[in-house]
Each structure stands twice: as structure tokens, then as C-alpha cells.
Amino acid sequence: NAGVTQTPKFRVLKTGQSMTLLCAQDMNHEYMYWYRQDPGMGLRLIHYSVGEGTTAKGEVPDGYNVSRLKKQNFLLGLESAAPSQTSVYFCASSLQAGAGTDTQYFGPGTRLTVL
Amino acid sequence: AQSVTQLGSHVSVSEGALVLLRCNYSSSVPPYLFWYVQYPNQGLQLLLKYTSAATLVKGINGFEAEFKKSETSFHLTKPSAHMSDAAEYFCAVRAIKAAGNRLTFGGGTRVLVKP
């Protein structure tokens, strides 16, 4: 089991460019999440999905779009990158157990710099 | 809305000394509570979780946390620090009926272990 994998690991963009981050999980998890991590702010939820074909907004969704066309994949898109989107992005997935027991498993992260 | 406060963004301890990381939550109804650890250049890994069973929760690597409803706290401790405990630690909460089982994270506490 690879668990949760993220592609790419690093990326540098210029302002206005677009890109897609790919998250894949091989644990047959229903729920998937995208977070961004910034110093002193912990992790903030961007978007999440409770199943194939569904997505929902998190705490900081502006400037991002997502898609969940296949259960194992969750894509995060930046249509027009801005320097404020420089961050480390983490994907996570969970089984959809009861709220008390559901554990999120995290990928290794993608470090994105927008110049 | 749920919120989590971690007191102290950086903590320095000597090897063999007590590790104490503080976490307070704001919620009228006790939520589910989690501690995650992030080693350098890695994703987050679950240390332990409180799910309304025992108030003293034991986790991996010798860590434990105690839920205190009266103080709205869930502090993390380890009796004797090891060099391998150097990492960033995140407290997180999940509301009882959180949509998508989403988590809200604190700002994190980075632990430095001195020999």
C-alpha cells in the first residue's frame, strides 16, 4: 500500500499561471481533503469530498477548484496563481467511519512557490 | 465555529525532560480531539485521539493526553523527551456532527530537543 501520494513534490509558478495538483489514495477511502499549511496558521481546509463526483468548500476555497472524478483521485487546481498561494499543500483521506473514530491519513505534501 | 489554540509556537526541552504541549478548544459541546505530529518534510501522522471514552488517552511513542472538560483543554505530555521527538505537533478538533468529518487545526507547536 502506497497510502496517500501527491504529485508533484515541488513546483514553482509565475503569477497568473495555472496548475493542477494530484492526490491519489489506494485505501478505498470515501472522504478526501485538501489543506494548505502556512507558518503559524496550522493547516486550513481548502476543499473536501465525501465521495466520487462530490466536492464541498472548506475554510479557504477562494482561488482553488477541485474535482473527484474517480474515487481514488482528488485534484486541486489553481486557475491563475497568486503569490498568496505560496504554501505547502497536503492531501488527506479517510474511510468515512463514525465522526469520532474517522482518522485522516496524510500525503507527503507539495511545496508550491508563486513568484 | 470550532477553534483551537495551541499555546506556544516553539517549545525547547532537554533530552529526558517532560514534554508538555498545550491545547485549548472553544466549543459549547465537547468535540472529538486529536493530536498529530509532523516530522521534517513529511505529512502529518496521528498520535492519539479522544472520542468521549476515557479522558486519559494513550498514543504512540509514549505520548498521552488528558481531556479536561472544565478547562476545555487537551494537553499532550510525554514524561521523558527523546531526540526523535523533535517535530511539529498539531492539535485538531472535530465537531460531533462535522460535515465531511472535517478537522480544524491549531497553529502548531514546534518542539526542539536539546541533548
Side-chain angles (χ1 to χ4, degrees), chain A residues 22-69:
Chain A
L22 170 64
C23 175
Q25 52 92 6
D26 61 2
M27 297 175 283
N28 200 34
H29 284 174
E30 285 293 333
Y31 290 2
M32 296 187 75
Y33 310 84
W34 274 109
Y35 293 91
R36 59 178 289 172
Q37 181 181 24
D38 302 292
M41 304 186 75
L43 279 75
R44 292 180 292 168
L45 183 65
I46 304 172
H47 286 280
Y48 64 99
S49 167
V50 297
E52 183 178 316
T54 75
T55 62
K57 293 180 179 180
E59 184 184 351
V60 288
D62 293 344
Y64 304 95
N65 56 76
V66 288
S67 63
R68 182 110 181 260
L69 299 180

Side-chain angles (χ1 to χ4, degrees), chain A residues 87-101:
Chain A
S87 187
V88 181
Y89 291 86
F90 286 98
C91 177
S93 70
S94 69
L95 186 59
Q96 190 219 341
T101 55

